[in-house]
Amino acid sequence: MKKRVLATRENLPGRGLDRLSESAELVAWPGADKPGPADLAGLAPGVSGVLALGNDPVDAALMDAAGPSLRVIALASMGFDNVDRAAAAERGIVVTHTPRVLAETTADLTFALILAARRRLGAAGASLAEGSWGLFRMHDYLGLDVHGATLGLIGYGQIGRAVARRAHGFGMRVIHHDPYAPDDDLSTSVGLAALLADADVVSLHVPLTEETRHLISARELAAMKPTATLVSTSRGGVVDEAALLDAVREGRLHSAGLDVFEREPMGRELSPLVAEPNVIALPHIGSATEATRAAMVDLAVDNILDVLAERPARTPLPGSTGVAGTPQLNAHPA
């Protein structure tokens, strides 16, 4: 008899769900909107696995609704802050994510944000669209150079290293702050205070945890150069958005490039940062290419199939054994 697996969405890129349905009885949330905790809990009784997107809630109530049959929660994302990891650990449920497959694609998007924010492409493009481009004037749309600038990476895992490789192509000097990552041939390890004071571009590549929530607050923003740019493709909660808005509006920070926000999705109630001319704002599209999103779903499906077949998961959360029934450990994501 096939085991039941819950997918938090019924339409996902690639053929991953087709493969999953060949080996399991697939039940999927059919709604067009993001499901809430109660929506998913209502579909969960008796499932052995859950395939979730990175911002769909997987809480203790869902795990309890599934019951003792639940053995694996597979995220089609690199981040994992949407999962109650403590509850999963208590129940011996394997939690997996999708590292590696999205690192290069997210690094591309990160560098696009760096270029767009530093060169003020948002304001320049909006002026053109509004019909405001009349006389050519030397002082219009003046940005700041990327080539030769210093890039500071907070978090130096797979995505951070991929961004560092791109930065070297622009002749940038690269430094990073990450207690788990020493110097290498791409970047020099420095303290957080030194990075904030020295970097022309600060790019965030850390998971959202209790330790990293509002890692960039008013104090850290005040330590940055007024000509600096803040870029984030990690998680919205890493940045205090109110403090960032004040810093940009008051000219204490040159610009920002954001792919993530504290509240996602926004709908029509937009963060005020979206309307700022010196902020490039995108709707969490760091991994949004056809090939990468399909690869993420495929890897999540592989993790589910492996655990349900009594094999170790391919990409369990860092520190986890990836074996069902074994308490899950927390560690820094390399």
Side-chain angles (χ1 to χ4, degrees):
M1 184 175 180
K2 289 183 176 180
K3 293 183 171 67
R4 298 182 74 227
V5 174
L6 167 63
T8 62
R9 307 297 171 92
E10 64 178 354
N11 293 312
L12 295 175
R15 294 196 63 256
L17 288 187
D18 293 337
R19 289 197 300 116
L20 185 56
S21 64
E22 293 171 1
S23 302
E25 178 189 345
L26 184 64
V27 55
W29 165 249
D33 297 328
K34 174 182 175 180
D39 297 319
L40 297 178
L43 297 173
V47 301
S48 297
V50 174
L51 193 163
L53 302 192
N55 62 356
D56 289 340
V58 185
D59 58 11
L62 186 154
M63 299 176 205
D64 289 339
S69 61
L70 182 57
R71 302 179 63 205
V72 56
I73 297 166
L75 303 175
S77 72
M78 188 165 181
F80 45 81
D81 51 282
N82 60 313
V83 176
D84 187 334
R85 288 172 287 151
E90 291 171 1
R91 294 158 177 78
I93 300 169
V94 176
V95 182
T96 71
H97 65 154
T98 56
R100 294 190 296 274
V101 296
L102 54 76
E104 297 296 334
T105 298
T106 304
D108 284 348
L109 193 280
T110 300
F111 219 84
L113 284 172
I114 293 171
L115 290 167
R118 296 292 282 175
R119 294 297 304 272
R120 302 189 62 207
L121 300 190
S127 176
L128 178 63
E130 293 166 0
S132 301
W133 186 30
L135 180 68
F136 175 80
R137 295 179 297 188
M138 289 286 285
H139 61 270
D140 283 346
Y141 319 122
L142 297 183
L144 298 174
D145 286 328
V146 173
H147 68 273
T150 295
L151 171 64
L153 301 166
I154 300 180
Y156 195 57
Q158 297 160 11
I159 298 173
R161 288 182 175 88
V163 174
R165 289 195 298 274
R166 287 154 177 76
H168 276 266
F170 277 75
M172 299 182 81
R173 168 177 168 253
V174 183
I175 56 178
H176 70 270
H177 172 68
D178 188 325
Y180 299 87
D183 295 357
D184 63 13
D185 58 343
L186 294 171
S187 178
T188 302
S189 175
V190 299
L192 180 58
L195 183 146
L196 293 172
D198 195 16
D200 299 302
V201 179
V202 174
S203 187
L204 305 177
H205 302 284
V206 295
L208 179 59
T209 66
E210 289 306 311
E211 292 73 26
T212 63
R213 186 174 295 279
H214 285 189
L215 175 66
I216 302 299
S217 64
R219 182 178 63 179
E220 287 73 29
L221 291 166
M224 294 170 62
K225 299 176 182 179
T227 55
T229 297
L230 179 70
V231 171
S232 181
T233 54
S234 59
R235 284 292 187 268
V238 175
V239 176
D240 181 336
E241 292 184 2
L244 176 60
L245 181 64
D246 288 343
V248 172
R249 282 182 173 175
E250 295 169 9
R252 293 182 283 108
L253 191 73
H254 176 267
S255 54
L258 305 173
D259 186 43
V260 290
F261 294 87
E262 293 193 85
R263 179 171 51 84
E264 296 183 9
M266 291 184 198
R268 295 185 180 276
E269 297 179 12
L270 298 179
S271 163
L273 284 164
V274 173
E276 284 300 306
N278 287 339
V279 174
I280 302 294
L282 299 175
H284 205 149
I285 60 169
S287 62
T289 67
E290 293 180 8
T292 296
R293 288 279 173 88
M296 292 164 66
V297 176
D298 275 335
L299 182 52
V301 167
D302 288 339
N303 277 314
I304 290 174
L305 295 178
D306 283 345
V307 173
L308 297 187
E310 308 290 343
R311 297 186 297 266
R314 301 186 186 197
T315 52
L317 289 187
S320 165
T321 65
V323 177
T326 302
Q328 305 292 289
L329 305 175
N330 295 328
H332 178 80

